[in-house]
Amino acid sequence: MGLVTENTPSFMPDFLKRCGGHAIIDGGFATELERHGADLNDPLWSAKCLITSPQLVRRVHLDYLEAGANIILTASYQATIQGFEAKGLSREEAETLLKRSVEIACEAREIYEENCAKDSLNSTENERIATSPVLVAASIGSYGAYLADGSEYSGDYGDAITLETLKEFHRRRVQILVNSGADILAFETIPNKLEAKAYAELLQEEHITTPAWFSFNSKDGINVVSGEPMVECAAIADSCKQVVAVGINCTPPRYIHGLITSIRKATEKPVLIYPNSGETYDAEHKEWVPSTGAVDEDFVSYVGKWRDAGALLFGGCCRTTPNTIRAISRALSDKSSACSTLSSNVNNK
């Protein structure tokens, strides 16, 4: 549930402190659902599984928790009242499915914590993970995600879509997710300033007390996908008191370092990053294809550089897996251990 507004600014610093200074976000969701046998060829995409196979949703959440994630995102990225109604569901059924996306994630967290409690005495790693907090983040995809036409990768909604249109489109979904028990709202893959402003105004108008994060996407390392400067979009997030972290998702790894720098020019709020695998989404054919740009290094090799640049929360987006998250967790743990050893050696001299 929401925290009192006065505590919101300390929400993320307190969480990060409890996690040891950095936190791990989960990875690609649809990829894992498909690996478990789900057919996502549908406008609802991963949200389809809230209807057809909720047990798979729970299984994927657990896979990421077992890989070391401190934050799991609900299967609601493409879950909208309008989208469910278009599939023939009633408004009541649509709202129930939105609530259910959070309930399933909370169930997975409970199962995971129970398992850790049983196993912690037998494994140093499990004991470490069990003492780390876990947040359930309610995923809120952009208007473009609902359209399912790839426009969240262009930010071009046309002249007919106004600030008020976007606020009204998202309003009821946000209200439901706030009341569903999520720890934080994750506004993801934000493609333009207009939608960022809509979110900020909506949070303020509805007096939302649940903390939120804003995460943008980019295809050039300087601007969001609409072509508007990342620094200007981050400034909108910075101005919203409910926003406790600002970052980037669904963006090729090679662009992240520069984007972290841009974000830090606009805000002192914690920076989160969860890039995609480096592939490019072909909206026309609805498939991921290898990037035509510079070849990405191994995804995890970037993590230390991103942390040095100022990021504090790390995960993966499309086409990343629990193995990716496990490797990120280990890389950050190794780096933290190395820094602690170096600090100890310096202090002992």
Side-chain angles (χ1 to χ4, degrees):
M1 298 296 288
L3 307 180
V4 295
T5 303
E6 289 77 6
N7 290 341
T8 299
S10 65
F11 176 90
M12 190 56 73
D14 290 348
F15 171 70
L16 288 167
K17 183 177 180 180
R18 291 174 63 203
C19 290
H22 64 264
I24 309 296
I25 304 168
D26 64 12
F29 207 77
T31 307
E32 289 306 295
L33 289 171
E34 289 175 330
R35 187 172 68 84
H36 284 287
D39 178 5
L40 303 185
N41 185 21
D42 191 279
L44 290 175
W45 200 37
S46 56
K48 174 186 175 184
C49 289
L50 293 171
I51 304 171
T52 61
S53 44
Q55 75 283 357
L56 291 187
V57 175
R58 188 183 301 107
R59 177 66 261 169
V60 173
H61 287 320
L62 278 167
D63 288 346
Y64 278 117
L65 288 170
E66 290 164 1
N70 303 112
I71 303 174
I72 51 174
L73 288 143
T74 61
S76 53
Y77 175 81
Q78 209 143 334
T80 64
I81 295 171
Q82 299 89 336
F84 286 133
E85 288 180 331
K87 295 290 289 185
L89 279 69
S90 69
R91 175 162 289 252
E92 182 180 359
E93 289 171 327
E95 293 187 359
T96 297
L97 285 169
L98 278 170
K99 295 175 187 175
R100 188 68 185 131
S101 71
V102 176
E103 291 170 356
I104 293 170
C106 290
E107 289 167 5
R109 174 173 61 184
E110 184 176 348
I111 293 168
Y112 170 73
E113 290 174 344
E114 289 175 354
N115 290 341
C116 282
K118 294 176 184 176
D119 298 340
S120 61
L121 296 179
N122 301 321
S123 167
T124 301
E125 182 179 4
N126 279 338
E127 187 172 348
R128 176 187 65 78
I129 294 174
T131 60
S132 297
V134 173
L135 296 182
V136 169
S139 173
I140 301 170
S142 67
Y143 179 71
Y146 154 70
L147 296 176
D149 62 358
S151 56
E152 74 264 45
Y153 301 108
S154 70
D156 182 7
Y157 293 164
D159 295 336
I161 301 303
T162 65
L163 184 68
E164 292 303 318
T165 302
L166 292 174
K167 285 194 290 186
E168 289 312 305
F169 174 80
H170 290 293
R171 192 179 302 275
R172 183 57 183 154
R173 175 165 61 153
V174 169
Q175 291 171 340
I176 292 168
L177 292 173
V178 163
N179 293 323
S180 65
D183 301 301
I184 189 168
L185 303 174
F187 294 92
E188 302 188 273
T189 326
I190 306 173
N192 53 41
K193 287 172 61 176
L194 183 68
E195 196 147 26
K197 188 175 181 181
Y199 290 146
E201 291 190 8
L202 184 57
L203 290 171
Q204 292 160 1
E205 290 172 4
E206 294 297 317
H207 306 290
I208 302 299
T209 56
T210 302
W213 82 51
F214 281 13
S215 183
F216 301 89
N217 60 334
S218 172
K219 52 190 176 186
D220 63 8
I222 301 171
N223 306 301
V224 298
V225 293
S226 65
E228 297 160 311
M230 177 64 74
V231 67
E232 294 180 9
C233 293
I236 294 172
D238 182 68
S239 69
C240 183
K241 64 185 178 182
Q242 290 92 338
V243 174
V244 298
V246 186
I248 311 124
N249 75 292
C250 211
T251 296
R254 63 186 177 279
Y255 295 140
I256 298 299
H257 189 280
L259 293 167
I260 294 171
T261 302
S262 295
I263 290 171
R264 295 192 71 203
K265 290 177 181 177
T267 184
E268 294 182 359
K269 295 178 180 182
V271 175
L272 56 90
I273 57 100
Y274 48 117
N276 59 35
S277 63
E279 296 167 274
T280 301
Y281 186 68
D282 182 335
E284 181 180 352
H285 296 96
K286 297 187 181 300
E287 63 182 9
W288 289 87
V289 296
S291 174
T292 55
V295 176
D296 286 319
E297 303 168 27
D298 175 66
F299 187 103
V300 179
S301 69
Y302 284 96
V303 171
K305 299 173 186 176
W306 294 334
R307 185 172 184 178
D308 291 343
L312 293 174
L313 299 97
F314 308 82
C317 200
C318 298
R319 312 286 283 181
T320 61
T321 70
N323 285 337
T324 312
I325 300 311
R326 187 174 289 106
I328 290 173
S329 179
R330 288 174 177 167
L332 289 169
S333 295
D334 291 345
K335 187 172 178 66
S336 295
S337 298
C339 289
S340 297
T341 301
L342 178 60
S343 176
S344 177
N345 290 340
V346 170
N347 291 335
N348 289 332
K349 286 184 179 179

